C-alpha cells in the first residue's frame, strides 16, 4: 500500500484565495483525521470522520474552514478565504477503528504558506 | 479532561540513553503510544503499550507505564544521531488520539 497520500505537498497562496487540500486514506481504513501543526500551537486535531461521516469538528478554527469526505477514498479540507495565520503544515491520517491497536497512519503533510 | 503533557526539549550525547517522559489524564485508554516525527515528515508510530502492561521492550526502546501515576516513559538506549526527532506520546480514550506537545530530542556527538 502507498500509505496516506496528500496533495499538494507545498502550497503558496495569497491572502483571500481559496485553498483546497486533498487526502487519500489507506484502503480499508474507516476513519480519517485532519490535523494542523504549527510551532506556536503544536499539533491540533481539526476534524475527523468515521465511515465518511464527520464526527467531531470542534477543532475547526472558524467558518472559513470546511472538510468533506464524499467517499471512503477521498477527503478535502478547504480554507476560504485564506489568511496568513492559516500558514501551517496540515496532516491527514487514517486508521481502522476497532480492528487493531488504533494506530493512526499519517500522510507526509501539506505545507501551506499564505502571504 | 483530556490532557497529555511532555517536556519540550531533551539534549543527549550520542551513545547515552535518552528518557522521554509523559503524563496523561484519562485512564480508559486501551493502548498508549509513542510516535516519532522526523524533520519534514508526518508522525510515525514508534511503539505502543497495552494498558495492562507495565513494560515493553523492543530492541533499543523500552516503554514503562505507571498506571497509578498516569506516567509513561520512553527510553532509547545507545542514542544515535538518527534518533534526533520530535517524540509524541498519545492516549486514545475514544476514537481519537490525544497527543502530547511533543519532545524535541537533539543528539550531539
Amino acid at each position: 500500500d502507498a500509505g496516506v497520500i496528500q496533495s499538494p505537498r507545498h502550497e503558496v497562496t495569497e491572502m483571500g484565495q481559496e485553498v483546497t487540500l486533498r487526502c487519500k486514506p489507506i484502503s480499508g481504513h474507516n476513519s480519517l483525521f485532519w490535523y494542523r501543526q504549527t510551532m506556536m500551537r503544536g499539533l491540533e486535531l481539526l476534524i475527523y470522520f468515521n465511515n465518511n461521516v464527520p464526527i467531531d469538528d470542534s477543532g475547526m478554527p472558524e467558518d472559513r474552514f470546511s472538510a468533506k469526505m464524499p467517499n471512503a477514498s477521498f477527503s478535502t479540507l478547504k480554507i476560504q478565504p485564506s489568511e496568513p495565520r492559516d500558514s501551517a503544515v496540515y496532516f491527514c491520517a487514517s486508521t481502522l477503528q476497532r480492528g487493531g491497536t488504533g494506530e493512526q497512519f499519517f500522510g507526509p503533510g501539506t505545507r501551506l504558506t499564505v502571504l | 479532561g483530556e490532557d497529555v503533557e511532555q517536556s519540550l526539549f531533551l539534549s543527549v550525547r550520542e551513545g547515552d540513553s535518552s528518557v522521554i517522559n509523559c503524563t496523561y489524564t484519562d485512564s480508559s485508554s486501551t493502548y498508549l503510544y509513542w510516535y516519532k516525527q522526523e524533520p519534514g515528515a508526518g508522525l510515525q508510530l514508534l511503539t505502543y503499550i497495552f494498558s495492562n502492561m507495565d513494560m515493553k521492550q523492543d530492541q533499543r526502546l523500552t516503554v514503562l507505564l505507571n498506571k497509578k501515576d498516569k506516567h509513561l516513559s520512553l527510553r532509547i538506549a545507545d542514542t544515535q544521531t538518527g534518533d534526533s526527532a520530535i517524540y509524541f506520546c498519545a492516549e486514545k480514550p475514544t476514537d481519537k488520539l490525544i497527543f502530547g506537545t511533543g519532545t524535541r530530542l537533539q543528539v550531539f556527538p
Side-chain angles (χ1 to χ4, degrees):
Chain A
D1 199 319
V4 175
I5 299 172
Q6 291 187 248
S7 65
R9 293 293 312 275
H10 302 273
E11 177 82 25
V12 180
T13 191
E14 292 188 344
M15 182 173 63
Q17 296 297 306
E18 177 179 296
V19 174
T20 299
L21 311 181
R22 297 173 175 81
C23 175
K24 177 177 166 50
I26 291 173
S27 176
H29 282 184
N30 56 9
S31 282
L32 183 142
F33 302 78
W34 282 102
Y35 293 89
R36 177 173 70 175
Q37 187 178 36
T38 61
M39 289 292 291
M40 290 296 293
R41 300 172 72 93
L43 189 68
E44 302 173 276
L45 176 65
L46 301 178
I47 185 172
Y48 79 94
F49 297 82
N50 280 352
N51 299 311
N52 313 339
V53 176
I55 301 299
D56 183 353
D57 65 354
S58 59
M60 295 285 260
E62 48 198 274
D63 292 345
R64 297 184 298 106
F65 285 68
S66 62
K68 294 182 179 179
M69 192 164 185
N71 56 62
S73 58
F74 184 65
S75 177
T76 59
L77 178 68
K78 187 176 292 188
I79 309 172
Q80 166 63 18
S82 58
E83 296 183 3
R85 60 192 168 122
D86 301 331
S87 297
V89 181
Y90 290 81
F91 290 104
C92 176
S94 71
T95 190
L96 179 63
Q97 295 286 10
R98 300 175 182 80
T101 62
E103 175 186 1
Q104 287 185 14
F105 293 80
F106 281 73
T110 295
R111 181 174 294 275
L112 173 65
T113 303
V114 183
L115 303 174
Chain B
E2 302 166 336
D3 198 13
V4 180
E5 294 187 354
Q6 304 177 235
S7 54
L8 291 180
F9 298 101
L10 178 64
S11 184
V12 299
R13 188 180 298 277
E14 189 175 18
D16 287 351
S17 292
S18 307
V19 180
I20 302 172
N21 294 300
C22 169
T23 58
Y24 60 96
T25 55
D26 198 309
S27 57
S28 63
S29 297
T30 302
Y31 295 95
L32 293 134
Y33 310 84
W34 284 103
Y35 279 78
K36 179 182 181 182
Q37 184 181 28
E38 296 185 352
L43 280 69
Q44 192 165 22
L45 184 68
L46 190 62
T47 187
Y48 64 90
I49 187 167
F50 193 49
S51 59
N52 68 355
M53 297 172 64
D54 298 325
M55 185 181 81
K56 178 180 179 181
Q57 190 147 2
D58 183 2
Q59 300 182 335
R60 293 189 298 120
L61 305 178
T62 303
V63 179
L64 295 178
L65 175 60
N66 181 329
K67 288 194 72 175
K68 174 175 172 292
D69 295 337
K70 296 182 183 173
H71 183 265
L72 184 73
S73 68
L74 173 70
R75 179 177 181 270
I76 305 173
D78 188 23
T79 312
Q80 303 297 307
T81 55
D83 295 324
S84 294
I86 303 175
Y87 292 81
F88 293 87
C89 66
E91 60 175 351
K92 189 173 182 285
T94 62
D95 281 350
K96 60 183 183 183
L97 287 172
I98 309 299
F99 285 96
T101 53
T103 299
R104 185 179 294 273
L105 174 64
Q106 183 177 17
V107 183
F108 58 93

